[in-house]
């Protein structure tokens, strides 16, 4: 099995896919670093202060003012309210959730890329893992070896898992290393609040507790990895089912983007919460953001993702071991 | 032959979308022989081969490689098999060596020095560390054979191995296949739609048409049946008249007559002509091409 | 080298897998076990500085929509124009912190003032400007609900007690900063009931000014006269909030007072 996985890793490397991913991240991170840097500078200029409390207070009053407007949409109002109480909570506990620093950048970056950017990167690697063997004809040589089909597929799955871990690690390392040049490398021990729960439009703080930022980041990256693994598994399944890599990418891209759009629209369509793509924002539960649909929670979203992932895994393996290869 | 068969195919059928594409194909390969699988495009050669190598599952029938059933003892059966189905498609972004390493790793029983052996055998030593994407078709074909030979198989299956090669390449391939059968005691199944190839390469041949094997026999037997005699004589019309009294006569293209080969009667016919004052300039026997043969067994269905 | 790349990437990936699995496990442990105790952070982001910034003039603005600037197309409001005026006149750097919330009442403002961050900012301020009371008197800025004097009187009493609490709290927090309470004008002065409404507003302002006078360094800034004539030219289309011109007038008035105060300090 180790040899089989090694083979798959070799092919991945030689196809230069991992390299491309690293390049993409290395290109995007400076972009976002600069954007964030600009934002901080701009705030300083506008407020004439560097004190985060003032800035956060200003944001709170801005939000309050927006809330007092009567034309505001219900959904948006709920979202703002929850954010408001959270910001207030941070302020009261004298914790700056956005103290600049490379770890903070890492955290914000990964929170913002968990539902689209990272799944897309994963997709780039996984989409042709099986379909390229089918379209390139090499599958005929692969499956006429004295190795059972499920073992060959499993080796590919494990290679997928390893490259997902690798991508997430690249994101972590590159975002830390590059943003640190601007923001400095400190801030690992900064306290952060987690354990918020949302009920209706109330923010429940019974379970709120403080974790150092490094633990917070580790937890978030664990979740990011989980999301990437599920997206990877589903892409993997499509890659088994379809011969054309473009079709795999197309379907995955469409569902991911549909998810991003649905999240903004589905609040009244309750059963939409069983779609995998509206459940990708796991880090929001850690940071205590409003859920897109009533009744969603970290446990719920993770279970939905797990069900999709397991189903995809089974479908992939059953079809692959039975299918006729033409 | 008393040897244990290397490959047994029995009553193989395949239905695709309710259409019967392979209709009960049976044949047997013995060690050391090159077996031809001859049929026009679309006859079902590739489909049969895909079933033998386990890429598609037969609707019914059994396949045994080295005595192991492909369906129930897949890994054991595959240990005895090397194959190229249709084109030799390898990973273009890997070097030839990496490709071989890749496939060798999948079978732990392949020793490391086997790689160098097969590379030397197919004569790719010079270019083996170049990427496959830079290879010519002939080189890919050879690399394909190298990967098929990695596990020291008992049965080698090559689907149209000379497709797309130039005449020199075709001859090389032909000699190589014969050499493998002779020196390594390998059974080779070669499919082709080109009769000339099978004729030159194979010991036995199965003729397949529309998913069914029409005939299986040794090449010699098939040819012997169809041996002809070519006559060059003057005057031609008289010679034809006289011969027609004895046997069936066809007129050749360049002023020749063609009759069946019938050894005991031949001197008699000759004498008759000479006595009637016909000058017999030339009289020779000719092996027919498999084309004639095919036309006969398939009852006129053309090839290509 | 090529061979090593594969080994390194594989090893790193395996290590990463374990790390992320650990992170995921920790998330489970952290998020799904319920008896988490909240502990105050041992290490604070940075100690809360309450001292004033040297060399800069910090204006702390609080109150309702007037301070927020509702009705000004540029969104600046009188605080924005005030800031501009002061920046022109003064060599010092001038900062503005605006915590006003639309629709705020005196009660709401007092509640807001209990927030630690608001208190900290009030403490740091050099100048405090505020508007309040409009939402107490006029129901949500539309009209006087009724001209029933009893009802208005009881509203006024509540308002005045709140204002008093706000004043004293501000004074407790910040002994030095001058507080400018910008007063009410009558937005309905060109409507039929102008006479009655104007007298109500004037009385309201008068009582407020009296309360302010009980404290030190609280300046009541009248605006009634600014809007008394040509009110329609200074009102936004909602006929309640000032427009750009109206805000500019208010800002000028406050600016002139602050300037005076600064000069006095220097001499
Ligand atoms: N996947 C498929 N679906 C339907 N028909 C097929 C499929 N593959 C092959 N066939 C049909 O089976 C027949 C045999 O094809 P094939 O085995 O490729 O022929 P050969 O290799 O002898 O040229 C052809 O008529 C072809 O149309
Ligand atoms: Mg074919």
């Amino acid at each position: 099995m180790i040899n089989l996985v090694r083979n798959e890793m070799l092919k991945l490397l030689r196809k230069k896919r991992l390299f491309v991913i690293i390049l993409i991240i290395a290109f995007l991170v400076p972009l976002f670093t600069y954007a964030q840097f600009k934002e901080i500078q701009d705030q300083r200029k506008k407020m004439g202060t560097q004190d985060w409390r003032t800035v956060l207070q200003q944001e709170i009053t801005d939000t309050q003012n927006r809330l007092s407007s009567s034309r505001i949409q219900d959904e948006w109002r709920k979202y703002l309210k929850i954010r408001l109480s959270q910001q207030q909570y941070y302020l009261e506990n004298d914790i700056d959730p956005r103290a600049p620093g490379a770890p903070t950048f890492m955290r914000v970056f990964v929170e913002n890329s968990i539902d689209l950017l990272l799944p897309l990167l994963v997709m780039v690697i996984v989409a042709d893992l099986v379909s390229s063997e089918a379209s390139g004809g090499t599958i005929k040589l692969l499956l006429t070896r004295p190795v059972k089909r499920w073992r060959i597929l499993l080796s590919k799955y494990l290679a997928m898992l390893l490259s997902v871990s690798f991508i997430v690690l690249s994101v972590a390392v590159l975002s830390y290393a590059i943003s640190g040049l601007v923001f400095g490398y400190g801030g690992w021990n900064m306290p952060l609040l987690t354990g918020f729960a949302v009920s209706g439009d109330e923010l429940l703080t019974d379970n709120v507790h403080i974790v150092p930022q490094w633990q917070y980041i580790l937890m978030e990256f664990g979740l990011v990895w989980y999301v990437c693994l599920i997206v990877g598994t589903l892409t993997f399944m499509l890659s088994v089912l379809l011969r054309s890599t473009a079709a795999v990418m197309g379907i995955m891209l469409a569902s991911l983007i549909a998810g991003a759009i649905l999240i903004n629209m589905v609040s009244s369509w309750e059963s939409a919460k069983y779609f995998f793509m509206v459940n990708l924002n796991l880090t929001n539960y850690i940071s205590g953001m409003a859920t897109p649909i009533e009744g969603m929670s970290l446990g719920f979203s993770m279970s939905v993702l797990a069900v999709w992932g397991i189903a995809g895994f089974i479908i992939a393996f059953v079809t692959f071991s039975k299918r006729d290869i033409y | 032959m008393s040897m244990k068969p290397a490959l047994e195919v029995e009553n193989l059928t395949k239905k695709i979308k309710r259409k019967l594409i392979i209709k009960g194909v049976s044949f047997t390969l013995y060690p050391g022989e090159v077996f031809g699988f001859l049929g026009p495009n679309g006859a079902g050669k590739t489909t049969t081969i895909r079933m033998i190598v386990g890429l598609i599952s037969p609707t019914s029938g059994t396949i045994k490689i080295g005595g192991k059933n492909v369906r129930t003892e897949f890994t054991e059966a595959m240990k005895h098999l090397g194959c190229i189905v249709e084109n030799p498609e390898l990973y273009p972004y890997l070097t030839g060596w990496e490709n071989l390493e890749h496939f060798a790793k999948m079978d732990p029983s392949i020793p490391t020095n086997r790689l160098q052996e097969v590379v030397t055998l197919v004569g790719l030593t010079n270019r083996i560390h170049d990427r496959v994407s830079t290879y010519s078709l002939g080189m890919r074909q050879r690399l394909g054979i190298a990967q098929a030979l990695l596990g020291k198989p008992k049965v080698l299956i090559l689907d149209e191995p000379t497709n797309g090669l130039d005449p020199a390449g075709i001859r090389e391939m032909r000699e190589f296949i014969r050499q493998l059968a002779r020196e390594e005691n390998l059974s080779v199944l070669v499919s082709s739609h080109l009769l000339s190839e099978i004729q030159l390469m194979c010991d036995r041949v199965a003729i397949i048409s529309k998913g069914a094997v029409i005939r299986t026999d040794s090449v010699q037997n098939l040819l012997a049946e169809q041996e002809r005699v070519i006559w060059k004589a003057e005057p031609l019309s008289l010679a034809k008249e006289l011969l027609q009294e004895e046997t069936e006569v066809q007129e050749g293209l360049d002023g020749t007559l063609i009759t069946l080969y019938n050894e005991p009667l031949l001197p008699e016919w000759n004498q008759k002509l000479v006595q009637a004052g016909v000058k017999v300039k030339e009289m020779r026997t000719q092996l027919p091409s498999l084309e004639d043969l095919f036309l006969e067994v398939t009852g006129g269905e053309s090839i290509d | 080298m090529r061979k090593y790349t594969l080994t390194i990437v594989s090893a790193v990936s395996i290590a990463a897998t374990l790390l992320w699995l650990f992170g995921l496990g920790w998330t489970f442990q952290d998020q799904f076990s319920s008896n988490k105790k909240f502990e105050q952070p041992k290490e604070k982001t940075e100690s809360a500085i309450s001292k004033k910034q040297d060399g800069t003039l910090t204006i702390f603005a609080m109150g309702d929509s007037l301070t927020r600037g509702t009705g000004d197309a540029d969104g600046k409001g009188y605080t924005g124009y005030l800031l501009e005026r002061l920046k022109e006149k003064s060599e010092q750097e001038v900062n503005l912190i605006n915590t006003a919330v639309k629709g705020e009442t005196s009660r709401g403002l007092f509640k807001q003032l209990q927030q630690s961050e608001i208190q900290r900012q009030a403490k740091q301020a050099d100048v405090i400007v505020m508007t309040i009371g409009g939402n107490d008197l006029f129901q949500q800025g539309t009209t006087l609900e009724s001209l029933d004097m009893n009802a208005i009187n009881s509203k006024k009493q509540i308002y005045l007690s709140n204002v008093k609490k706000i004043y004293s709290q501000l004074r407790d927090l910040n002994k030095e900063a001058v507080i400018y309470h910008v007063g009410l004008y009558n937005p309905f002065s060109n409507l039929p009931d102008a006479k009655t409404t104007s007298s109500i507003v004037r009385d309201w302002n008068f009582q407020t000014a009296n309360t302010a006078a009980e404290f030190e360094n609280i300046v009541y800034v009248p605006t009634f006269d600014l809007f008394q004539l040509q009110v329609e030219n200074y009102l936004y289309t909602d006929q309640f909030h000032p427009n750009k011109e109206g805000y500019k007038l208010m800002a000028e008035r406050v600016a002139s007072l602050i300037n005076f105060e600064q000069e006095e300090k220097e001499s």
Side-chain angles (χ1 to χ4, degrees), chain A residues 326, chain B residues 16-17 19 21-22 39-48 50 86 159-160 191 208:
Chain A
Y326 293 107
Chain B
I16 300 178
K17 292 179 199 128
K19 201 177 144 218
I21 285 179
I22 303 299
N41 284 327
K45 303 182 295 291
T46 303
T47 309
T48 309
R50 279 181 196 271
E86 293 192 311
D159 191 12
E160 315 233 10
S191 84
I208 179 170

Side-chain angles (χ1 to χ4, degrees), chain C residues 10 17 36 40-41 58-59 101 112-113 118 123 125 128 183 191 198 205 213 215 238 240:
Chain C
S10 307
T17 308
K36 285 277 167 192
Q40 272 295 325
T58 306
I59 304 172
V101 177
Q112 193 191 23
L113 206 47
I118 301 283
K123 251 184 242 177
I128 297 172
L191 295 182
S198 283
N205 283 341
F215 293 85
D238 66 359
F240 183 76

Side-chain angles (χ1 to χ4, degrees), chain A residues 40 52 96-105 107 186-187 190 213, chain C residues 45-46:
Chain A
I40 292 172
W52 65 269
D96 178 8
R98 281 178 316 192
T104 307
F105 178 85
R107 181 167 56 81
M190 189 177 109
Q213 175 148 268
Chain C
T45 325
E46 63 189 67

